[in-house]
Amino acid sequence: MKRCHHLCRLLPLWLSLVILSFSHSSYGDNVTYDHRALVINGVRRVLISGSIHYPRSTPEMWPDLIQKAKDGGLDVVETYVFWNLHEPVQGQYDFEGRKDIVKFVKTVAEAGLYVHLRIGPYVCAEWNYGGFPLWLHFIPGIKFRTDNEPFKTEMQRFTAKIVDMMKQENLYASQGGPIILSQIENEYGNIDSAYGAAAQRYIQWSASMALSLDTGVPWVMCQQSDAPDPIINTCNGFYCDQFSPNSNNKPKMWTENWSGWFLSFGGSAPYRPPQDLAFAVARFFQRGGTFQNYYMYQGGTNFGRTTGGPFIATSYDYDAPIDEYGLLNQPKWGHLRDLHKVIKKCEPALIATDPAYTSLGQNLEAHAYKTSSGACAAFLANINTQDATVKFNGKTYQLPGWSVSILPDCKNVVYNTAQINSQETTSEMRYLSSISEGTNQPLSRLSSSGWSYIKEPVGISKADAFTRKGLVEQINTTADASDYLWYSISFNITMGEPWLISGEQTLLHVESLGHVLRAFVNGYYIGGAMGSADSTKISLSKLIILDKGKNTIDLLSATVGLQNYGAFFDLSGAGITGPVTLSANGVTFDLSPYVWTYQIGLKGEDMSLFDDSDDSASLWLSDSTLPTNVPLVWYKTQFQAPAGNDPVAIDFTGMGKGEAWINGQSIGRFWPNYTAPLSGCSDSCNYKGAYSSSKCLKKCGKPSQQLYHVPRSFLKEGANTMVLFEEEGGDPTKISFATRHTGSLCAHVSEMHPAPVNFEVYPELAVSKQKLGPMVHVTCPGPDQLINEVKFASFGTPQGTCGSYSHGKCSSTNALSVVQQACVGMNSCSVPVSTKAFGDPCRGVTKSLAIEATCSS
C-alpha cells in the first residue's frame, strides 16, 4: 500500500476544512491506507460510520434516514449485502423495492456520504440463516465457510455478481462513486478453530478471491486476526480501544460498535446508555483509532420471515441513534453528534501523528496528539467508576467516573462523554380514532363486524402431502419454504392393545428440536409448547383421551427464524425428531418409527390468502360471530390509512402468534403474548463500568414486542387490506392502530458541563473572544412546530428523569417563568445554566437546570 508523506502532514486548519468537505470526484478517488488511517486522494481521514441496512427500511425512508445520519456527523454508511434476499432461487435474482441495493448506494452518494459495502456474503446480522440462501444447503458435497470447492464456487459467483453490479453503475470510489471499502467474510475468526487447518486455507482463498475482483478500494475482514495482507483486519465489539491490527502498516478500524443489542421474542429489551457508548467511541479515537462504525445507526424492521436467531423479534430497533420508525433516539443521537463534531475538530492533529501516552494515576490516562506545527489535541480518560481530579499540562481537570474529556487544543475541555448537553425526547404512541373502512368503527379498535375469516385446516389438507417412515428433520424437509411442517399419524384402538383403552387418559409425549409446537388429537387442539432464544428444544406432555377405533394425532411444528451464527450453524436442526410416545397403564408405546404423513406449509399460504386476490374472495366468511381465541385462523379486514406522515404501528395486544400482511406486504411475525422474564430490569442503568448485552434491560414481565411498524409506503389512500394468520389463538378486534410521536423535550445540564459544542468558540477562527458557559438547548422535531408549554423547570438540585422530574432541596423561584419566556412560541430555545439568569438558590452547591417542554402537533 502507498505511504503518506508530506500530504499527510498537518495542513492549515482552513485548508483541512476545505479538503474534508469535498464531494465525490467524477474522475475517481484514490483510496489506500497507511498505519494511521484510510487515505483518500492522498489525505488521511478520520471517518465516522453507521450501519443502515437497506432491506430493514423502505426506499421511501432511505433519504430521510441517510440525511439524519449526515446531520448526526457521519461520513460513511455501512451495509451488509443479503444473499438470500437477492437470490432466493439459485440463478434467479431480485433487486426490486427494498432489495434495490444500487438505489440505496446511490441515495447515500446523493447525500455526499461514503459507503462501506460488506458483501460477506455470510452476514450473521440476526438475519435468517446468516444471509445464506437455503438452496445452498442442498448442493451435493457442500460444506459452508471452509475450504470446500462447491461452497467457494457459489461464494465467488455471488460476490463477483455484486461487485460487477457496483462497477456497472460506477459506484466504487475508484470510478467516482461512494464505495470506499468492501468486506469479505464476517467474524470468521470467532469460530474458525472449529474448522481446523481448512480454515486458514479458506481465509487465504477468500482474500485472494476478493482482491482479484479489482474494486480499486481496500478490503477488510472483521474479527480476523490472521487476515492476509493487504486485507485490513478490524474489530467488532462493545469496546475496541485495546484492539491492534495485525500489521504496523494497517490502520486501527472498528467495523461494529454495538450501539445497543437485538431483541428476542421472550426476552427483555436491551439498551445501552449514551454515556457509555460515547465513552467507547472516545476511547477508541484516544488510543489511535481513525475509522469507527456504529452497528446499528438505524436498526429498522425485520419484515416478512427475515429474522434469524432463532427467536429474533420483528423489531430490530437495537437502541440505535435513529429508532426503528426513523425518529431520532434522543439523547443518544445528539450526544454522539456533539462527539463527532469534537472529533472532527481534532482531526488535523489525529491524522498527523501517533498519540503520546501519559499516566495520570491508576486507571487515569492522557493521550495527546502534538504536531511540529503546534497543533494539539488531547483525551483525558477516567476508567474508574468514581470521579477523579487530575493534572495535565499544569492544569487541573475534573473527570467524572467512566468518562473521557476531549481537549481539541490540549487546554480546554470541550466535551465530556458523561456530561450530556443534548436534549432528551420521549416517544409516545397515539392511538387513533379514525374510521375503519366500511364499518364506522374507530380504528383504535376494529369491531368483529369488520372482519372476515377462513379457518386453516387441521392436519393434512394439501395434495402434495407425502409419507415417510419415521420422523423427519424440518429444515431439510421444508427448505424454509414455510415456517410450518405438519406431522400426522393415524392409528386404531382395538381390543388388541389392552393397555391403551379408549375413553381413559393417555399421556402424549413429544420431543422436538423446536421452535414451536401445536398438538391436535382428532382435530381438537390440546396445547402447545415453545422454545426460547436460549434453548430451542421442546418437550410437550399432555393427557389426552383417545377414541375407540381410528385416532389421528396432528403435530404442527413451526420455526421462528433459522440459526444465523456459530460454527456449522447451517447444520442446526428443527422440528420433531422424537420420540413421540403414548403412555398408559404403565406401558409406553413409541410412535416415532411408524409411517407419518407430512405437509409443508399451510393451505392458506398455497392459496396466497395474504395477497387478498379475487381468487379467494368467495372463501372469506363474515359470520355474525367471529371465531376468536382459537388456533389456525386467517383474518381479514379493511381500514383507512391514518392521516398525516407520522410513523404507523399496530398494537397486537389480544393476539397470540402469527404473521401480518398489509396490502400483501408482510410486516413480519407478531407474538405479543410471549412475555419477558419478570426479573432483571431496573428503572435506571448506571452507565459506569463495562457494558454487556444483559446489563441494561427494560420491559420485564411485559410482551417482548407489542407494537409492529407499518411503513407509510405499505399504505395507500382509501381502503387498505390487513390479513393475519393466527397460529395460537387471539382476538383481532382488540388490535389497535397508533402513530408514533415525540412527546416531551427534556434537558438536564449542570454548571460543570462544557458549553454546547455548537456554540464553542475557537480563538484561531477569530470569530469571537467570548467564552460561553453551559446551556440547555431544546428544539422541536419539526421545523413548523413551536414550543407550546413548559411543563417543568427547576434550577438548583432537580432530580428524576424526563417525564418525572421533581424539585430538589433547593430550587430557584423564577426558573419556570425564565424558561417560559425564553422558549414558549419558539421552534428552539437556549437557556444559560447560570446564577446570572436564575439567581443563586443554594450557595456553595453545584447547580443544574432541568426542563421539560412540549411542542405543538
Side-chain angles (χ1 to χ4, degrees):
M1 286 295 169
K2 296 183 178 179
R3 296 281 180 264
C4 275
H5 296 292
H6 63 282
L7 286 175
C8 288
R9 294 175 183 167
L10 181 66
L11 299 168
L13 182 60
W14 66 270
L15 183 56
S16 297
L17 295 175
V18 170
I19 289 175
L20 299 182
S21 64
F22 77 97
S23 60
H24 309 310
S25 168
S26 59
Y27 299 104
D29 294 327
N30 181 29
V31 184
T32 59
Y33 64 80
D34 66 7
H35 80 288
R36 283 296 298 129
L38 288 180
V39 179
I40 302 177
N41 292 333
V43 179
R44 289 176 179 166
R45 295 295 308 274
V46 168
L47 295 170
I48 298 167
S49 174
S51 292
I52 301 175
H53 294 161
Y54 54 97
R56 283 176 159 146
S57 54
T58 66
E60 292 77 9
M61 294 174 67
W62 294 343
D64 181 63
L65 297 177
I66 293 164
Q67 185 60 48
K68 286 173 177 172
K70 183 176 182 179
D71 294 342
L74 266 59
D75 307 292
V76 182
V77 171
E78 185 177 282
T79 186
Y80 281 125
V81 180
F82 299 87
W83 189 355
N84 55 9
L85 195 71
H86 297 301
E87 195 180 4
V89 178
Q90 188 173 15
Q92 297 180 23
Y93 296 99
D94 187 353
F95 293 96
E96 301 297 321
R98 290 184 296 108
K99 306 168 188 177
D100 192 344
I101 186 173
V102 168
K103 181 176 181 178
F104 179 78
V105 172
K106 288 182 176 180
T107 304
V108 176
E110 289 166 2
L113 299 181
Y114 293 118
V115 171
H116 178 195
L117 195 65
R118 305 177 75 187
I119 299 176
Y122 166 73
V123 298
C124 184
E126 293 71 59
W127 190 269
N128 194 48
Y129 214 47
F132 286 152
L134 256 293
W135 54 259
L136 200 66
H137 175 74
F138 297 97
I139 293 176
I142 199 165
K143 293 182 180 179
F144 287 9
R145 304 179 74 196
T146 188
D147 186 22
N148 172 264
E149 291 305 320
F151 177 76
K152 292 190 297 182
T153 296
E154 295 301 326
M155 175 177 168
Q156 181 168 2
R157 182 181 57 80
F158 180 75
T159 303
K161 168 77 174 179
I162 297 301
V163 169
D164 288 345
M165 285 181 63
M166 299 301 118
K167 285 183 175 181
Q168 288 170 15
E169 299 291 335
N170 295 318
L171 294 177
Y172 279 101
S174 56
Q175 302 171 298
I179 302 173
I180 59 170
L181 283 171
S182 285
Q183 178 177 303
I184 196 69
E185 248 300 335
N186 187 50
E187 295 185 331
Y188 188 65
N190 293 351
I191 50 92
D192 60 5
S193 61
Y195 295 87
Q200 181 59 37
R201 297 194 300 272
Y202 168 64
I203 284 299
Q204 292 286 342
W205 171 86
S206 297
S208 298
M209 182 270 290
L211 293 170
S212 72
L213 298 176
D214 193 24
T215 62
V217 302
W219 287 83
V220 305
M221 285 182 173
C222 64
Q223 297 294 93
Q224 195 67 47
S225 60
D226 59 351
D229 292 341
I231 308 293
I232 307 170
N233 65 303
T234 66
C235 183
N236 293 354
F238 290 118
Y239 308 95
C240 279
D241 53 285
Q242 302 294 326
F243 169 77
S244 296
N246 63 11
S247 167
N248 293 331
N249 298 323
K250 298 177 184 179
K252 181 172 178 173
M253 298 177 62
W254 192 357
T255 37
E256 289 189 17
N257 177 1
W258 301 325
S259 57
W261 201 243
F262 56 84
L263 174 68
S264 296
F265 284 125
S268 304
Y271 64 98
R272 187 178 186 185
Q275 301 97 321
D276 177 70
L277 182 56
F279 171 79
V281 175
R283 285 285 290 160
F284 180 71
F285 287 107
Q286 175 178 0
R287 295 176 59 87
T290 51
F291 180 102
Q292 188 269 163
N293 176 76
Y294 297 101
Y295 186 100
M296 301 290 297
Y297 198 75
Q298 194 266 343
T301 305
N302 291 313
F303 299 110
R305 299 172 53 245
T306 58
T307 64
F311 292 93
I312 299 298
T314 299
S315 172
Y316 200 66
D317 182 86
Y318 220 88
D319 193 34
I322 304 174
D323 74 12
E324 176 182 5
Y325 299 86
L327 303 179
L328 300 183
N329 177 11
Q330 296 278 36
K332 183 171 282 188
W333 182 89
H335 193 43
L336 296 175
R337 172 206 58 197
D338 294 346
L339 172 60
H340 303 156
K341 289 182 178 180
V342 175
I343 294 294
K344 288 298 183 178
K345 291 181 185 296
C346 299
E347 182 168 9
L350 296 182
I351 62 175
T353 185
D354 295 318
Y357 164 77
T358 303
S359 174
L360 304 177
Q362 186 174 4
N363 291 325
L364 300 167
E365 300 179 358
H367 289 77
Y369 295 81
K370 299 180 181 180
T371 70
S372 57
S373 61
C376 187
F379 297 75
L380 311 182
N382 179 0
I383 313 170
N384 301 297
T385 57
Q386 301 299 316
D387 297 351
T389 301
V390 300
K391 281 194 172 183
F392 174 72
N393 283 353
K395 293 184 66 175
T396 299
Y397 298 90
Q398 302 297 320
L399 285 180
W402 202 255
S403 78
V404 177
S405 286
I406 303 177
L407 295 65
D409 59 358
C410 284
K411 298 177 183 178
N412 298 299
V413 175
V414 172
Y415 181 94
N416 179 272
T417 59
Q419 296 173 329
I420 298 177
N421 279 326
S422 174
Q423 71 183 26
E424 180 177 357
T425 58
T426 61
S427 295
E428 62 182 27
M429 303 305 297
R430 296 181 186 173
Y431 287 82
L432 306 180
S433 57
S434 304
I435 304 301
S436 72
E437 183 69 19
T439 66
N440 198 34
Q441 293 291 330
L443 193 60
S444 58
R445 286 289 188 268
L446 295 174
S447 78
S448 59
S449 63
W451 289 93
S452 55
Y453 70 93
I454 295 175
K455 289 187 176 181
E456 175 71 24
V458 173
I460 307 304
S461 61
K462 294 164 54 178
D464 59 358
F466 59 94
T467 59
R468 291 286 187 276
K469 189 174 182 180
L471 298 168
V472 300
E473 190 277 328
Q474 182 166 349
I475 300 171
N476 281 299
T477 304
T478 66
D480 200 38
S482 168
D483 282 356
Y484 300 105
L485 177 63
W486 279 106
Y487 295 69
S488 181
I489 190 168
S490 296
F491 53 91
N492 289 305
I493 294 182
T494 67
M495 297 301 294
E497 300 92 15
W499 63 275
L500 195 60
I501 303 174
S502 63
E504 292 190 4
Q505 287 189 331
T506 300
L507 181 67
L508 171 66
H509 180 78
V510 183
E511 293 285 341
S512 171
L513 295 177
H515 308 150
V516 178
L517 173 64
R518 310 289 176 200
F520 301 79
V521 175
N522 296 326
Y524 292 97
Y525 183 53
I526 63 163
M530 57 196 180
S532 68
D534 295 328
S535 177
T536 64
K537 292 184 178 181
I538 298 168
S539 180
L540 173 71
S541 294
K542 289 286 182 180
L543 288 172
I544 62 175
I545 295 179
L546 298 171
D547 297 335
K548 183 178 180 180
K550 183 179 179 180
N551 289 267
T552 299
I553 296 175
D554 294 301
L555 304 175
L556 181 62
S557 179
T559 53
V560 190
L562 303 188
Q563 189 78 26
N564 61 261
Y565 181 74
F568 309 104
F569 76 87
D570 51 299
L571 303 180
S572 298
I576 301 164
T577 52
V580 178
T581 61
L582 295 173
S583 299
N585 298 314
V587 179
T588 296
F589 185 74
D590 190 356
L591 298 173
S592 307
Y594 289 85
V595 174
W596 289 72
T597 303
Y598 296 94
Q599 175 182 299
I600 297 172
L602 308 172
K603 186 174 183 179
E605 289 177 313
D606 277 12
M607 298 169 63
S608 298
L609 294 181
F610 45 81
D611 278 344
D612 191 32
S613 63
D614 293 336
D615 294 341
S616 65
S618 62
L619 302 176
W620 292 94
L621 303 176
S622 300
D623 296 349
S624 57
T625 302
L626 182 72
T628 60
N629 299 311
V630 292
L632 306 185
V633 182
W634 294 83
Y635 297 103
K636 183 176 74 171
T637 193
Q638 290 189 321
F639 64 94
Q640 293 176 340
N645 297 313
D646 297 308
V648 178
I650 300 177
D651 183 336
F652 275 99
T653 296
M655 298 299 286
K657 174 184 178 293
E659 189 171 354
W661 293 262
I662 302 295
N663 296 322
Q665 299 195 70
S666 175
I667 64 170
R669 300 182 183 95
F670 61 83
W671 204 350
N673 69 357
Y674 202 168
T675 57
L678 294 174
S679 61
C681 299
S682 59
D683 293 335
S684 62
C685 180
N686 190 344
Y687 69 87
K688 297 177 181 179
Y691 178 79
S692 69
S693 60
S694 60
K695 179 180 179 181
C696 303
L697 302 173
K698 55 187 176 182
K699 296 179 66 177
C700 283
K702 298 179 180 179
S704 298
Q705 186 174 353
Q706 180 175 330
L707 295 162
Y708 294 77
H709 180 211
V710 181
R712 279 282 177 180
S713 61
F714 283 21
L715 302 172
K716 58 186 180 182
E717 291 186 9
N720 290 267
T721 300
M722 175 166 59
V723 175
L724 312 175
F725 174 67
E726 173 54 63
E727 169 192 321
E728 181 178 4
D731 185 350
T733 68
K734 294 182 178 180
I735 286 174
S736 306
F737 280 73
T739 54
R740 190 169 178 86
H741 300 260
T742 296
S744 293
L745 312 177
C746 297
H748 191 180
V749 176
S750 81
E751 294 176 304
M752 300 300 293
H753 278 50
V757 172
N758 287 352
F759 301 106
E760 183 65 22
V761 178
Y762 289 90
E764 65 267 32
L765 296 181
V767 175
S768 170
K769 297 292 185 181
Q770 182 181 1
K771 177 70 175 179
L772 297 175
M775 281 185 160
V776 160
H777 181 81
V778 292
T779 303
C780 292
D784 298 326
Q785 290 182 289
L786 301 177
I787 297 170
N788 60 3
E789 181 185 5
V790 177
K791 299 175 70 173
F792 179 88
S794 179
F795 179 75
T797 56
Q799 300 173 342
T801 58
C802 185
S804 60
Y805 287 133
S806 62
H807 296 283
K809 292 184 178 180
C810 85
S811 181
S812 172
T813 57
N814 67 342
L816 184 61
S817 61
V818 170
V819 175
Q820 286 174 330
Q821 184 175 359
C823 296
V824 173
M826 308 295 290
N827 175 259
S828 64
C829 63
S830 299
V831 182
V833 182
S834 69
T835 55
K836 184 176 180 180
F838 297 99
D840 194 342
C842 41
R843 296 183 182 276
V845 175
T846 299
K847 290 164 282 292
S848 62
L849 172 63
I851 70 171
E852 179 182 356
T854 58
C855 298
S856 57
S857 300

